[in-house]
Amino acid sequence: MRPGGREPQQAPGRESGSLDVRRYLVLLRESIVTFCAIAVGVTLLGVAVSYVLPKRYEAHSSVSVEQNVVNELVKGIAITPSLEAKLRILKVSILSRKMLLAVIRDLDMDLGRQGEQLEILIENTRKNVEISYEEKKGLFYIRYRDASPERARDFVNALTRRYIEESTASKREESYEATRFLSDQIEVFQKRIEAAQKAIDAFKSEKGMILSMNESILREEIKETEHRLEETRIRKNERLAQLGILEKGTGGGRLAEKEAAYKALLGTYTAQHPDVVRAKAELDALRASGGGGGGRKGGVDYQRIKVELESLNEIERIQQELIEKDKRLLQELPAVQTELQALQQARKNETLIYEQLVTRYGQSEVSKQMELQDKAVSLRIIDPAILPIRPSTPNRPLIMLAGLLLGGAIGAGWVILSDQLFRKLRSVEDLTAMGVVVLGALPRIASPDDARIGRHRQVALAMSVTVALFVVGLAAAEYSGFEAFDGVFARVRNIVSNWL
C-alpha cells in the first residue's frame, strides 16, 4: 500500500509494457537538437562515403552460341562438340590464367608488374570478370568492371575476340591431332593383323594333318582297325594251332580227342569264342593231315604255316601301331583346335579394332573439314562492348538516401535509448505511473533560457530539413548523371592519400 491508502495506478491511455507514442514525441521534441545533429552527421557521412568510394565502370559484350544445321546432316558420321559441352568449357577457358594473362599483355596492363604483383593482378582481374548465360536467347554475356571505362571496354572486346580465335584454332589442332593419331594406329593394327595371320598359317602348316582330321572319323577308324586286329589274332591262333599239330605229329587217337574237346567247348561257348575257334582249327588241321600221322617240321605245310604266322605277326604289329597313333591323334585334336581358335580369335579382335579405327578415321576427316569451315558449334559476337558512360558502382543515389534514412533511425534510437538509461520526470503522468498521488500541479513559466532553447531547436530543425532536401536533390542529380562534385571529392581524396 502507498501512503494515502491507494494502490499505484496507470496513467490514462497507457498499458503496462506498451510504447507511449505521445511521451516519445515529447521526448523527441525536447531532444530535437541531438536528434538533428546525429541525423545530419550520419547523412553527410553517407554522402561522403558515396563520393569517396572509387567509381567502377562495367562493360559487357554478348556472344551467340549457334549450332549449325550441318550437325544434324552428319549426325552419326562426324564427331562434333555438343552445345552443352561448349557451354561447360567456355567459362573455364575464359577465366583461365593463360587467357587472362594474354589479354592483360595485349592491353599493357602488366607494365611494371612481375612475380607476385602480376599474380595479384591476374587474380583481381578474374574477380572482376563475370560470365552469364541466357538460355532462352542463347546468348553469353561477358562483363568486366574497372575504374577506367576505356579499359573496361577494351578488356571485354579483347577477351571476347581472343577466346573466339583460340577456340577455333584449338578445335582445328585437335581435329588434326585426332586424324594423325588414328592414321598411326591404323598402320599399327595392320601390322598386328598380318602378324596374327602369319601365326595362324605357321600353326596350320605344323599341325595341318591333325587339323584335317575329324573326331568321329578317327573313332570309326579306331573301331574298324580294332575289329581287323581281332580277326588277325583269330587267324594267328588258327595257324598256331595247325603248327602245333604238325610239330607233335599225333595219330587218330589225337583226332578223336580233339573232336571230343571241340564238342565240349561248343556246349559251353559260342562258335566265335577264341578257344572254340582254336580247337576247331586244330581239329581241321588233324583231319587235313590224315589224323596227324604224316606231319613233319620240314614239310611244305609246316613252312607255309610258318610264313603265314610271320605275316600275321607283322599285320598285328602294324594294326596295333595304327590304333595307338589314332588314339594319340584323338587326344591331341581338341588341344590343337583350341589353340587354333585362340589364334583366330586374336586375329578377329585385331580386325575388329582395325575396322573401328578406319570408321573413326573417316569420321575424323569429316569432323576436321567441319572445324576448318566452322560448320560445327560456332561463336559469334552479337554486341561488342561499348564505352560505359555511367559507373556501375557505387550507387550514389541509393547510398545517399540510405544514409538519410539511417541517420534519422540512429538519431531516434539514440534519443529513446538515452531516455531508457537516464529516465527523467517530464509530466504529471510520469508521477501517476509511478503510483504517486498528485495533489496539484503548477503551470510551467517561460524563462529567457526556454526562449533560447526554442530558437536552437528551430535552427537545428531547419538545418536538418535543409540538409535532407539537399541530399535528396543531390541524389536526384546523381541519378540523372550530374557529376559536378566528382572533381572536388577527387581532389580531397588525393590530398588525404598524399597526407597519409
Side-chain angles (χ1 to χ4, degrees):
M1 294 292 289
R2 293 281 184 181
R6 289 190 179 183
E7 292 290 338
Q9 296 180 357
Q10 300 290 339
R14 176 185 293 182
E15 296 179 358
S16 178
S18 64
L19 183 63
D20 191 346
V21 178
R22 180 181 175 187
R23 168 182 171 79
Y24 287 114
L25 289 176
V26 173
L27 178 62
L28 187 60
R29 180 177 62 82
E30 292 179 354
S31 305
I32 191 65
V33 176
T34 303
F35 169 79
C36 291
I38 295 174
V40 169
V42 174
T43 301
L44 294 178
L45 180 62
V47 173
V49 169
S50 68
Y51 280 98
V52 169
L53 292 176
K55 289 184 178 180
R56 301 187 67 81
Y57 295 86
E58 181 180 283
H60 71 275
S61 65
S62 57
V63 181
S64 173
V65 183
E66 300 176 356
Q67 186 130 7
N68 200 291
V69 70
V70 179
N71 281 351
E72 294 298 326
L73 299 178
V74 297
K75 190 173 184 180
I77 300 177
I79 301 174
T80 58
S82 64
L83 180 61
E84 291 75 13
K86 197 79 174 179
L87 300 181
R88 282 196 301 270
I89 65 174
L90 186 144
K91 185 174 182 179
V92 176
S93 300
I94 290 179
L95 296 179
S96 65
R97 183 184 184 280
K98 178 182 177 182
M99 182 71 66
L100 295 177
L101 181 59
V103 176
I104 288 173
R105 288 176 174 171
D106 289 343
L107 300 179
D108 296 330
M109 295 170 60
D110 60 331
L111 295 178
R113 297 174 183 263
Q114 293 181 353
E116 185 178 355
Q117 292 181 349
L118 182 59
E119 295 300 324
I120 293 174
L121 175 61
I122 294 173
E123 188 61 30
N124 291 335
T125 303
R126 182 181 287 114
K127 292 178 181 179
N128 290 325
V129 176
E130 180 182 348
I131 300 172
S132 59
Y133 175 63
E134 190 172 349
E135 186 175 359
K136 293 183 179 179
K137 295 182 179 180
L139 294 178
F140 259 105
Y141 295 97
I142 302 176
R143 296 180 172 86
Y144 178 70
R145 293 181 297 276
D146 196 274
S148 171
E150 293 81 6
R151 189 161 55 226
R153 175 199 59 195
D154 296 341
F155 187 90
V156 171
N157 288 332
L159 180 62
T160 306
R161 182 177 61 255
R162 178 170 283 274
Y163 172 74
I164 293 177
E165 292 175 355
E166 292 195 3
S167 176
T168 304
S170 64
K171 287 189 298 181
R172 293 174 181 174
E173 184 63 25
E174 288 174 2
S175 297
Y176 278 118
E177 289 295 332
T179 304
R180 191 179 304 115
F181 171 78
L182 290 174
S183 178
D184 295 340
Q185 291 300 309
I186 287 174
E187 293 182 4
V188 171
F189 276 89
Q190 278 180 335
K191 295 178 180 179
R192 293 174 65 170
I193 291 173
E194 292 174 0
Q197 185 60 48
K198 289 180 180 179
I200 292 174
D201 295 340
F203 185 79
K204 286 183 177 179
S205 177
E206 180 183 356
K207 305 289 185 180
M209 186 181 68
I210 299 177
L211 292 171
S212 62
M213 295 179 179
N214 185 277
E215 184 177 351
S216 59
I217 294 176
L218 271 177
R219 293 185 183 278
E220 289 294 329
E221 288 182 356
I222 293 172
K223 184 177 180 182
E224 184 178 351
T225 305
E226 287 178 343
H227 180 67
R228 288 199 300 268
L229 177 62
E230 185 66 25
E231 291 180 349
T232 301
R233 286 174 176 172
I234 292 173
R235 289 173 58 193
K236 177 182 176 182
N237 290 333
E238 290 177 354
R239 296 300 177 266
L240 286 172
Q242 293 175 358
L243 188 65
I245 293 173
L246 290 176
E247 289 178 348
K248 292 179 180 180
T250 54
R254 185 156 181 84
L255 178 62
E257 182 181 349
K258 290 293 182 183
E259 287 178 350
Y262 175 69
K263 290 180 181 179
L265 289 172
L266 282 177
T268 306
Y269 304 105
T270 62
Q272 287 77 23
H273 193 273
D275 293 341
V276 176
V277 172
R278 185 171 60 254
K280 185 176 182 303
E282 291 176 355
L283 182 61
D284 292 340
L286 284 175
R287 288 173 179 172
S289 62
R296 297 195 309 265
K297 288 185 177 181
V300 176
D301 292 337
Y302 182 85
Q303 295 298 327
R304 178 179 57 79
I305 294 173
K306 267 294 224 183
V307 171
E308 287 184 5
L309 277 174
E310 292 177 357
S311 175
L312 290 174
N313 287 331
E314 183 66 20
I315 291 173
E316 182 182 15
R317 183 184 65 79
I318 293 173
Q319 288 175 340
Q320 286 178 345
E321 290 179 353
L322 287 175
I323 292 173
E324 292 176 359
K325 180 181 178 181
D326 288 344
K327 287 183 177 180
R328 186 171 61 254
L329 292 176
L330 187 63
Q331 292 177 350
E332 293 179 1
L333 183 59
V336 173
Q337 290 177 341
T338 301
E339 188 173 354
L340 178 62
Q341 290 176 357
L343 292 174
Q344 291 175 338
Q345 184 63 39
R347 184 190 61 180
K348 182 179 179 181
N349 294 338
E350 303 289 356
T351 304
L352 179 61
I353 297 175
Y354 172 80
E355 292 174 352
Q356 292 177 346
L357 287 172
V358 172
T359 303
R360 293 291 183 181
Y361 182 80
Q363 293 176 339
S364 177
E365 283 291 335
V366 177
S367 302
K368 181 177 69 176
Q369 295 301 322
M370 290 183 65
E371 295 295 348
L372 291 176
Q373 302 176 22
D374 289 333
K375 297 298 183 183
V377 177
S378 59
L379 301 175
R380 304 185 188 278
I381 300 177
I382 303 301
D383 294 318
I386 60 175
L387 185 68
I389 299 176
R390 300 179 60 183
S392 59
T393 57
N395 190 342
R396 287 179 178 172
L398 181 61
I399 295 175
M400 292 177 185
L401 295 178
L404 181 62
L405 296 176
L406 186 61
I410 293 177
W414 176 261
V415 171
I416 295 174
L417 182 61
S418 299
D419 179 67
Q420 295 293 332
L421 295 177
F422 309 102
R423 196 170 185 85
K424 298 179 181 180
L425 297 176
R426 290 184 172 82
S427 64
V428 176
E429 287 78 5
D430 292 342
L431 292 173
T432 306
M434 296 173 60
V436 177
V437 178
V438 179
L439 301 179
L442 297 176
R444 185 179 181 84
I445 301 174
S447 65
D449 290 336
D450 292 337
R452 180 174 52 80
I453 293 173
R455 288 194 300 269
H456 289 171
R457 292 173 178 173
Q458 292 176 359
V459 171
L461 184 60
M463 289 181 62
S464 298
V465 173
T466 303
V467 170
L469 293 176
F470 171 76
V471 171
V472 172
L474 187 58
E478 286 289 342
Y479 183 79
S480 63
F482 181 75
E483 299 179 353
F485 292 96
D486 286 341
V488 176
F489 278 95
R491 285 194 293 272
V492 172
R493 279 201 306 271
N494 292 333
I495 293 172
V496 173
S497 61
N498 292 333
W499 180 73
L500 293 176

